[in-house]
Amino acid sequence: MTGKTAPPAKKTAPAAAKKKAEPAPKEQTALKEEAAPKEEAIPKEEAAPAPATEEPPAPEHPLEQPPVPSNEPVPIPTEAGAEVTPVPAEGSSAPPAEPPAPVPEPKVEKPKEEPPSCPLSLAVEEVSENSFTLTWKAPEQVGWAGLDGYVVEICKDGSSDWKAVNKEPFLSTRYTIPNLSSGDKIHVRVVAVSASRASVPATLEQPVLIREILQLPKIRMPRHLRETYIRRVGDAVNIMIPFQGKPQPEVSWTKGGQPLDTNRINIRNTARDTIFYIRQAQRGDSGKYELTVQINGAEDKATLDIQVVEPPGPPQNLKLVDVWGFNVALEWTPPVDNGNSEIKGYRVQKSDKKSGKWFTVLERCTRTSCTISDLIIGNTYSFRVFSENICGLSDSAAIASGVAYIEKTKTTYQPEKIPQRDMMEPPKFTQPLTDRTTTRGYSTHLFCSVRGFPQPKIIWLKNQMEIREDPKYIALIDQGVCSLEIRKPGPFDGGVYTCKAVNPLGEASVDCRLDVKGEI
């Protein structure tokens, strides 16, 4: 077919097949015709030795063939119709050439893989009649190869046969386990799986009871109980905290992780609330109480902080530090017992020897020292101090050991010397006269202002002639303002008017011109 002559080794292959099995004369001729084109179709470079154990496929019409001598290879037909010469048997004079052995690659040492850590915070999120849902958090360490996923395993209570729920690992941190029987108690654990190793399983402490939860547990803590609940010593503590959950949840109270003392604290639970009752509270009842409402694996928690207080003790070491003039200085130290509450301040009182009554001088003094002023001369005073907290004043007070006597001091009144100021000043006009034009028959005024001390004498002049007692002119002075009224002036009243101010220190003058026009 290709025009190439097959190598001599391939020509012996049909002869070997003839010796292995001698079919009928017609059948032998058919076999030779079929083998000849197949032999020519195989290129020289495509021939490859096949394993000696591989056997050729049986023909559609099986033929009886004689056994093949061991010193001749048998051709093996392939799927493409080509013949492949197998490895010759032992004792063959011309074995086929073997391919060169591959050079081995150097092996790289992989770092030792560590398993991932345990999944965190495994909890039951929801339980139904035939399933329940788990949630958890990813492990802190997942190893260098990364995390392939998680495998959830379950086991019935009383059995040790753990079965994987999911066939393949998954990466979600939430999983619902279905197809469970109502009433069964199921133990569950979650394993983190990496490329080659698995983590230590995270296991629920208690088995999950498979039954329908119509409502998850929830505590409805009243608003006033979310802060510190304060009661006085001897008062009753009666607290009701509602909650919800179906079926009826289990309610438990603890204090510091320990059960409550039932001799002092009474707990009554109903389907909807729990009542916390103490008949007479003591300071030892103070602390944080933990309420837990649980339905199978689902739960809700709340904390109740109770503080039982009483009045504080009196201040310590009250002493009179100093007395001067009308003032007294006091000092003291905080009380030994604060009544289980912060000290809000101190109340300071005084008492004079004459009346013997106590009067409050300072309230809510936040320091441990004070100064009392405005004491009466000649009186003798005593002092006491109460401490105060949220519960009120201390039952008793700290009384200063000494008394304060306010002495009478001799004082001489000395009036303040005020330096005399020289007020003398010659006359000076602060506002001069201004020229004016008026109409005949209409009165007009001339104004100016002057200052000086002693008060200057004012003289009015018309055309350098002093205006004396003339009813036509009215001259006034008020607060240094000088005015001259000219009543119904005529043409002869026009001219230059001068105002002169004279006192012992000098004189000053101003002038102006007045024009009188005829009637329009």
Side-chain angles (χ1 to χ4, degrees):
M1 299 293 290
T2 60
K4 292 183 182 181
T5 306
K10 298 233 175 195
K11 289 181 180 180
T12 58
K18 290 179 183 180
K19 292 181 182 181
K20 185 175 181 182
E22 292 182 0
K26 292 181 180 181
E27 295 176 354
Q28 290 180 359
T29 305
L31 289 176
K32 288 179 181 181
E33 292 176 357
E34 293 177 2
K38 293 181 182 178
E39 183 180 2
E40 293 178 359
I42 300 175
K44 188 175 182 180
E45 58 274 8
E46 294 180 359
T53 57
E54 187 175 352
E55 296 181 0
E60 295 180 1
H61 304 284
L63 303 176
E64 295 180 359
Q65 297 181 0
V68 181
S70 61
N71 57 353
E72 294 184 6
V74 178
I76 301 174
T78 62
E79 295 179 359
E83 293 182 359
V84 179
T85 304
V87 180
E90 295 182 1
S92 173
S93 59
E98 296 181 358
V103 180
E105 296 181 359
K107 295 183 179 180
V108 180
E109 293 185 0
K110 296 182 180 179
K112 187 178 180 180
E113 182 182 357
E114 296 183 359
S117 59
C118 176
L120 305 175
S121 305
L122 179 60
V124 177
E125 182 183 75
E126 185 179 0
V127 180
S128 66
E129 188 176 2
N130 55 7
S131 65
F132 66 92
T133 302
L134 298 173
T135 58
W136 61 89
K137 294 182 181 179
E140 295 180 353
Q141 299 178 358
V142 297
W144 66 269
L147 193 66
D148 287 352
Y150 304 95
V151 175
V152 180
E153 298 178 347
I154 61 174
C155 173
K156 289 188 177 182
D157 190 25
S159 174
S160 59
D161 185 14
W162 289 92
K163 295 181 180 179
V165 180
N166 54 313
K167 296 180 180 180
E168 297 294 335
F170 60 92
L171 291 175
S172 174
T173 57
R174 184 177 184 274
Y175 189 77
T176 300
I177 302 175
N179 303 326
L180 300 174
S181 300
S182 179
D184 287 348
K185 291 185 178 180
I186 304 297
H187 294 271
V188 64
R189 65 186 183 186
V190 178
V191 179
V193 180
S194 66
S196 60
R197 304 181 66 181
S199 70
V200 176
T203 308
L204 286 178
E205 296 181 359
Q206 300 294 331
V208 180
L209 178 61
I210 307 303
R211 63 175 178 177
E212 185 177 6
I213 297 179
L214 301 179
Q215 191 176 33
L216 292 175
K218 181 67 177 179
I219 299 174
R220 301 294 184 185
M221 181 67 77
R223 186 179 298 274
H224 71 281
L225 297 179
R226 297 175 188 175
E227 300 178 355
T228 303
Y229 184 71
I230 300 176
R231 302 297 293 172
R232 298 187 61 166
V233 172
D235 289 351
V237 178
N238 191 6
I239 298 172
M240 183 183 70
I241 302 177
F243 57 82
Q244 65 183 26
K246 292 181 181 181
Q248 182 175 348
E250 297 179 3
V251 181
S252 61
W253 285 87
T254 58
K255 181 182 179 182
Q258 302 296 325
L260 302 184
D261 183 8
T262 56
N263 294 328
R264 288 201 47 78
I265 304 173
N266 296 322
I267 302 295
R268 185 177 66 86
N269 300 323
T270 66
R272 296 184 178 180
D273 55 50
T274 178
I275 297 177
F276 181 97
Y277 180 73
I278 302 176
R279 184 177 296 276
Q280 291 183 340
Q282 300 296 329
R283 289 177 59 172
D285 297 327
S286 302
K288 294 185 178 181
Y289 295 83
E290 296 179 355
L291 170 62
T292 303
V293 178
Q294 185 176 13
I295 302 177
N296 296 332
E299 64 179 20
D300 190 22
K301 292 184 178 182
T303 301
L304 174 63
D305 189 3
I306 296 178
Q307 183 179 1
V308 182
V309 300
E310 61 182 346
Q316 302 292 311
N317 306 320
L318 176 61
K319 57 184 178 181
L320 198 64
V321 178
D322 194 10
V323 178
W324 74 99
F326 311 101
N327 310 301
V328 171
L330 300 174
E331 284 186 356
W332 62 90
T333 57
V336 177
D337 181 14
N338 63 358
N340 199 30
S341 178
E342 180 185 2
I343 297 296
K344 299 293 185 181
Y346 302 91
R347 180 175 296 185
V348 183
Q349 295 183 343
K350 69 178 181 180
S351 173
D352 62 277
K353 189 176 181 181
K354 293 181 180 179
S355 65
K357 296 181 180 180
W358 291 96
F359 299 94
T360 300
V361 292
L362 287 176
E363 288 186 344
R364 291 288 180 95
C365 176
T366 57
R367 298 178 297 174
T368 56
S369 62
C370 69
T371 300
I372 301 174
S373 305
D374 300 332
L375 299 176
I376 299 175
I377 294 177
N379 284 0
T380 301
Y381 291 93
S382 299
F383 301 92
R384 68 181 183 183
V385 179
F386 291 88
S387 55
E388 184 177 4
N389 66 0
I390 195 173
C391 198
L393 295 175
S394 57
D395 295 334
S396 59
I399 300 177
S401 56
V403 294
Y405 176 68
I406 308 303
E407 297 181 354
K408 296 180 180 179
T409 57
K410 295 181 180 181
T411 58
T412 303
Y413 176 71
Q414 295 181 353
E416 183 181 359
K417 294 181 179 180
I418 301 175
Q420 295 294 331
R421 182 179 177 182
D422 186 9
M423 304 296 293
M424 306 297 287
E425 185 181 7
K428 180 179 179 181
F429 282 92
T430 58
Q431 181 67 36
L433 294 172
T434 58
D435 295 342
R436 294 181 64 85
T437 299
T438 186
T439 303
R440 178 182 177 181
Y442 290 90
S443 299
T444 187
H445 293 79
L446 301 178
F447 294 98
C448 63
S449 61
V450 66
R451 72 181 183 184
F453 190 83
Q455 183 176 353
K457 179 181 178 182
I458 302 301
I459 301 173
W460 286 93
L461 304 173
K462 174 188 175 186
N463 297 326
Q464 302 299 322
M465 298 293 293
E466 183 180 354
I467 299 175
R468 295 186 178 275
E469 297 179 359
D470 189 341
K472 193 175 184 66
Y473 301 97
I474 301 175
L476 298 174
I477 181 170
D478 184 19
Q479 300 293 327
V481 178
C482 306
S483 65
L484 177 65
E485 181 183 359
I486 305 171
R487 304 174 65 187
K488 298 181 179 181
F492 59 89
D493 291 323
V496 176
Y497 286 84
T498 302
C499 181
K500 181 185 290 186
V502 180
N503 74 355
L505 298 181
E507 63 180 32
S509 63
V510 291
D511 52 22
C512 69
R513 184 171 186 80
L514 176 65
D515 293 331
V516 181
K517 294 182 179 181
E519 295 181 3
I520 300 175

